[in-house]
Amino acid sequence: MPITANKLFRINVSKDNLTATLSLNGDVPPSNVSAEQIEKEITDLGIRIDKQGKKNIAKFAAELAQQKVPEVTIAAQGVPPKHDQDGRIEKLYEAPPEEPDASDNQTQSYYDHSNIISVKKDQQLLRLIPPVDGADGTDIYGKTIAHKLGREAQIKSGPGVEQKGDVIIAVINGKLEYTAEKIWIVDKLEISGDVDFSVGNINFGGEVEIRKNVLDLFKVHSKSSITVHGIIEAAEIHAGKDLNSLGGVAGKEKGEITAGQDINAKYITNAHVRAGQDIKVNAEIVNCDLACKGSLTIEKGPLVGGHTLAFKGVKVKQLGSEADVKTVVEVGIDEDLRLKCDKLAPEIQLLRRKAEKVRQVVKPLLQNQKYLNSEQKEKATELIYLASELDEQAESLTEELRGDYQKTIEDAVFEIEVTGTLYTGVTIRFPRIEAFVTSPLAGPLTIVPRKVEHTLQILAIDKNSGSTHTLTAGITNDPMWDTLEKLFGPLPDPVDKAEEK
Amino acid sequence: MKFLLVDDSRTMRNIWKKVISSLENSETVEAGDGVEGLNAIKENGPVDIMLVDWNMPNMDGLTMVKKVRETDKTTPIIMVTTEAEKPRIIEAIKAGVNNYVVKPFTPDALLGKIDETLKRAGQTA
């Protein structure tokens, strides 16, 4: 907007009062005028001329003096306001992996693609970044132009989250839900359909409930319990607490099912199963590699095929099948002890061998101490100490194993109950003794190991008549017992312990 | 029970430390020669027992024991050394050593000597 129009030049001020421009009045030919005259006209309007403005005006006047037509120039410039930047929200959790891009050369699994954001207790979720301060501006008249204030970042905290300072954290394990207005955590993950490519693998801190099936090769991991209403196929299921399989498990020889506590299932076939406590099955267990630290119960059906290891006894309707299917059942044996023994026994033996070797080296030195120089005596001391340290390490591992063994024989239950029939083809194994069933026996039976005239036998006791049938038994070839005796010396017989109880 | 361990071999000090760690409430102060040993006493205050090697650089164990005994007549000192000749042992005992362990020694032998020395001094390990 022209605010002054001298005969020679004009001053235009922008709408925001931040810029004043100086230009030649179009109707008038260039004519001599001093920079001071121009500056005076401008300052008379209340406009403040800065250093750059003065330079521009001087150049403008100089060009006029040379009868040139000067270009439009800035005579005064204000400082625009710098507005605050609004507060914002920074995500601190990791977003789930995106669906793999087929064109991507890197290998990614579609199984890992998931829409579920699983978070852990105490995990930081969001940070509220405060607004960034701006600054007021000044127009060409020296008047302050106020800057706009920024808005604080805001989000409502729902269940399962808490704001601590500027950070929102999870106070429970669970599934993160997050909208523009609110953030919260649900401690139970419900999948309304199958676990398939639309859902992806699940790794969840809280409880998981799946309304339909878990399809082949998918993984469902939960630190809490898992309930599957449909069928668990050849999938990998790991529950920190209980696993409830209402539809059953059809593992197709690839399924892996583990639970920190109980497993309850309609049936289990062709799967690898591990339970920290009891396993209860309604219908049947067929051809599984199964171990539990509690008891195994099959309410209505058989245990057929595979290898079963139950620490606190077995109760089934039918053991084996009419087709003489090879079925191995071990009872009162702790798989963890067996694994630990496999791992520690060689370590202990190695440490003992090393200690012995060191002692062999140091022996002649000790016998000839008179002829040793100082250095050799120091070395001999070191070797003696090394041998004693190796012995101590071996002893500490041995004690650890001994403790586990003692706990095992205290807690084990050496009993199999068969309410229906015990079939040919079944191998029954208790600690140190096993029997192969050569002819079927009708139940209800209680099968136990007993010492009869100092000989360990496996007896099948008819629960109705009380009559006893001795199953053909032999010493078990489980190397764990030999190893333990080699390490500890003669051990109390687990069966004696059971009889004491 | 506070131990001062003086030996120029770090390995040997570590062996002593591990052997001593089997004693209840044991704590250790280490030094690499006699000079460091005397400084350690100055800096850390009195200890309950000292284990001192004989042959060390800067100041040997015997000199250190003599210096300690100028002001401290009571703190038990065990010389742990390769010097096994009788005259040397007598020399050490004259200088103020309370007990003597000849290298090589077994952990049990060292513990036995510590126990014996403390008992004689009216303390228990």
Side-chain angles (χ1 to χ4, degrees):
Chain A
M1 167 179 77
I3 61 161
T4 185
N6 182 291
K7 281 181 185 173
L8 272 173
F9 55 87
R10 81 170 73 175
I11 307 295
N12 278 4
V13 175
S14 63
K15 277 184 186 172
D16 57 7
N17 286 353
L18 282 170
T19 311
T21 54
L22 171 64
S23 59
L24 191 65
N25 203 339
D27 307 333
V28 182
S31 164
N32 202 4
V33 62
S34 72
E36 288 75 21
Q37 272 179 289
I38 298 172
E39 281 183 25
K40 187 175 179 305
E41 289 245 8
I42 295 172
T43 50
D44 285 350
L45 293 168
I47 296 171
R48 293 180 179 187
I49 305 168
D50 59 12
K51 223 174 184 178
Q52 185 60 44
K54 282 189 177 184
K55 270 189 193 172
N56 293 345
I57 291 166
K59 191 182 169 201
F60 188 90
E63 283 176 353
L64 279 180
Q66 292 166 23
Q67 300 297 303
K68 287 183 186 169
V69 179
E71 283 183 12
V72 179
T73 190
I74 293 171
Q77 180 97 58
V79 178
K82 196 178 165 196
H83 301 303
D84 288 357
Q85 281 177 26
D86 286 343
R88 61 191 177 85
I89 294 172
E90 184 189 358
K91 285 180 187 174
L92 300 175
Y93 60 87
E94 240 179 76
E98 286 180 13
E99 194 165 332
D101 180 356
S103 63
D104 196 342
N105 285 334
Q106 284 185 330
T107 309
Q108 274 184 295
S109 169
Y110 278 88
Y111 290 92
D112 289 333
H113 162 66
S114 170
N115 295 320
I116 295 154
I117 303 164
S118 184
V119 293
K120 288 176 185 165
K121 187 176 178 245
D122 298 328
Q123 186 178 335
Q124 295 193 340
L125 305 174
L126 300 176
R127 176 172 285 122
L128 305 179
I129 311 280
V132 178
D133 286 339
D136 290 341
T138 313
D139 68 11
I140 54 170
Y141 301 106
K143 210 170 146 191
T144 300
I145 307 171
H147 73 284
K148 285 182 195 164
L149 296 175
R151 281 177 302 179
E152 293 282 340
Q154 280 184 337
I155 188 151
K156 280 183 191 165
S157 293
V161 297
E162 201 176 273
Q163 187 168 343
K164 280 189 179 171
D166 60 347
V167 176
I168 292 175
I169 60 159
V171 292
I172 55 170
N173 293 332
K175 181 191 173 197
L176 181 69
E177 301 281 358
Y178 178 36
T179 66
E181 292 86 32
K182 193 175 172 184
I183 183 165
W184 71 102
I185 293 170
V186 287
D187 59 356
K188 184 175 176 181
L189 173 64
E190 284 193 43
I191 306 293
S192 56
D194 293 334
V195 173
D196 56 13
F197 287 115
S198 69
V199 175
N201 290 334
I202 293 170
N203 188 356
F204 191 63
E207 201 181 328
V208 177
E209 185 164 2
I210 296 155
R211 291 280 165 198
K212 290 188 178 170
N213 310 308
V214 182
L215 303 191
D216 286 350
L217 305 178
F218 281 95
K219 294 176 188 174
V220 180
H221 289 203
S222 162
K223 287 194 169 56
S224 184
S225 297
I226 298 173
T227 299
V228 182
H229 291 262
I231 295 166
I232 298 170
E233 298 184 3
E236 184 184 299
I237 311 288
H238 178 79
K241 293 181 179 171
D242 295 339
L243 168 63
N244 300 302
S245 169
L246 308 183
V249 179
K252 304 174 191 175
E253 292 173 357
K254 281 183 181 167
E256 279 195 26
I257 314 297
T258 59
Q261 296 176 4
D262 295 343
I263 293 178
N264 299 295
K266 190 175 177 184
Y267 66 87
I268 307 175
T269 61
N270 300 298
H272 179 87
V273 184
R274 292 292 179 273
Q277 293 178 8
D278 300 337
I279 297 178
K280 280 183 191 157
V281 169
N282 186 264
E284 61 176 7
I285 294 177
V286 178
N287 198 28
C288 287
D289 166 34
L290 182 148
C292 63
K293 287 181 87 78
S295 63
L296 167 68
T297 307
I298 305 174
E299 285 166 9
K300 295 176 184 166
L303 170 60
V304 184
H307 182 267
T308 297
L309 201 148
F311 184 53
K312 292 189 175 176
V314 169
K315 187 176 177 183
V316 293
K317 188 176 178 197
Q318 181 185 314
L319 188 49
S321 83
E322 281 177 350
D324 300 351
V325 175
K326 187 186 168 194
T327 306
V328 179
V329 184
E330 296 189 81
V331 174
I333 294 165
D334 183 3
E335 189 185 40
D336 287 349
L337 177 66
R338 185 175 276 168
L339 294 173
K340 202 166 189 176
C341 188
D342 287 349
K343 183 178 173 281
L344 292 190
E347 278 181 42
I348 293 167
Q349 279 157 355
L350 184 68
L351 286 166
R352 286 179 178 172
R353 272 204 303 275
K354 275 187 185 171
E356 191 48 43
K357 218 171 180 178
V358 173
R359 269 193 287 270
Q360 299 275 343
V361 172
V362 87
K363 199 175 169 186
L365 297 177
L366 293 176
Q367 285 167 345
N368 297 290
Q369 281 189 46
K370 277 186 185 173
Y371 307 107
L372 300 181
N373 61 29
S374 288
E375 209 175 304
Q376 287 168 322
K377 285 178 182 176
E378 298 253 353
K379 190 72 199 162
T381 308
E382 287 171 23
L383 290 173
I384 291 169
Y385 180 75
L386 177 62
S388 102
E389 210 174 38
L390 290 167
D391 278 339
E392 263 178 39
Q393 285 171 19
E395 189 52 33
S396 155
L397 293 179
T398 308
E399 280 309 305
E400 186 184 333
L401 208 49
R402 192 197 301 273
D404 286 359
Y405 167 77
Q406 268 160 356
K407 192 172 176 341
T408 296
I409 57 172
E410 292 295 332
D411 296 345
V413 175
F414 306 104
E415 193 171 288
I416 300 173
E417 266 190 55
V418 183
T419 54
T421 309
L422 169 64
Y423 286 100
T424 308
V426 173
T427 299
I428 292 169
R429 193 175 290 154
F430 293 105
R432 294 182 154 172
I433 188 167
E434 69 179 10
F436 182 68
V437 180
T438 50
S439 56
L441 281 174
L445 300 166
T446 301
I447 302 161
V448 288
R450 283 282 182 275
K451 271 207 172 145
V452 181
E453 292 173 357
H454 305 293
T455 308
L456 196 54
Q457 294 183 345
I458 295 179
L459 306 179
I461 304 162
D462 188 311
K463 284 178 91 175
N464 290 336
S465 66
S467 64
T468 301
H469 180 89
T470 305
L471 298 174
T472 310
I475 298 298
T476 176
N477 57 2
D478 187 342
M480 178 176 81
W481 302 103
D482 295 338
T483 309
L484 289 174
E485 289 216 318
K486 261 186 209 162
L487 292 173
F488 307 150
L491 290 169
D493 201 317
V495 175
D496 288 340
K497 274 272 174 192
E499 284 180 355
E500 278 172 30
K501 277 199 268 182
Chain B
M1 174 90 26
K2 198 170 180 182
F3 287 76
L4 172 63
L5 313 177
V6 191
D7 195 314
D8 56 327
S9 158
R10 187 188 293 267
T11 310
M12 197 54 64
R13 292 202 305 269
N14 284 339
I15 291 174
W16 292 354
K17 262 202 299 188
K18 283 184 182 167
V19 172
I20 288 164
S21 69
S22 65
L23 301 171
E24 265 181 43
N25 301 322
S26 61
E27 59 172 305
T28 53
V29 178
E30 290 181 56
D33 58 43
V35 176
E36 281 184 21
L38 294 173
N39 286 338
I41 297 168
K42 270 187 208 160
E43 284 164 20
N44 296 282
V47 294
D48 297 299
I49 183 165
M50 297 179 208
L51 270 62
V52 183
D53 182 26
W54 190 313
N55 297 311
M56 292 183 290
N58 299 327
M59 184 190 286
D60 63 38
L62 191 72
T63 311
M64 182 193 150
V65 170
K66 285 176 182 170
K67 294 237 178 231
V68 169
R69 286 298 180 234
E70 285 172 10
T71 53
D72 175 1
K73 308 281 183 204
T74 55
T75 305
I77 303 175
I78 303 176
M79 187 71 94
V80 188
T81 175
T82 55
E83 300 288 347
E85 291 78 25
K86 219 171 187 175
R88 300 290 268 169
I89 297 172
I90 292 167
E91 191 183 358
I93 287 169
K94 276 186 181 168
V97 161
N98 300 72
N99 219 329
Y100 205 90
V101 178
V102 179
K103 295 174 187 172
F105 58 84
T106 63
D108 284 346
L110 180 62
L111 279 175
K113 287 281 184 182
I114 290 170
D115 188 46
E116 184 187 300
T117 311
L118 289 171
K119 270 182 187 156
R120 267 197 246 152
Q123 300 177 43
T124 46

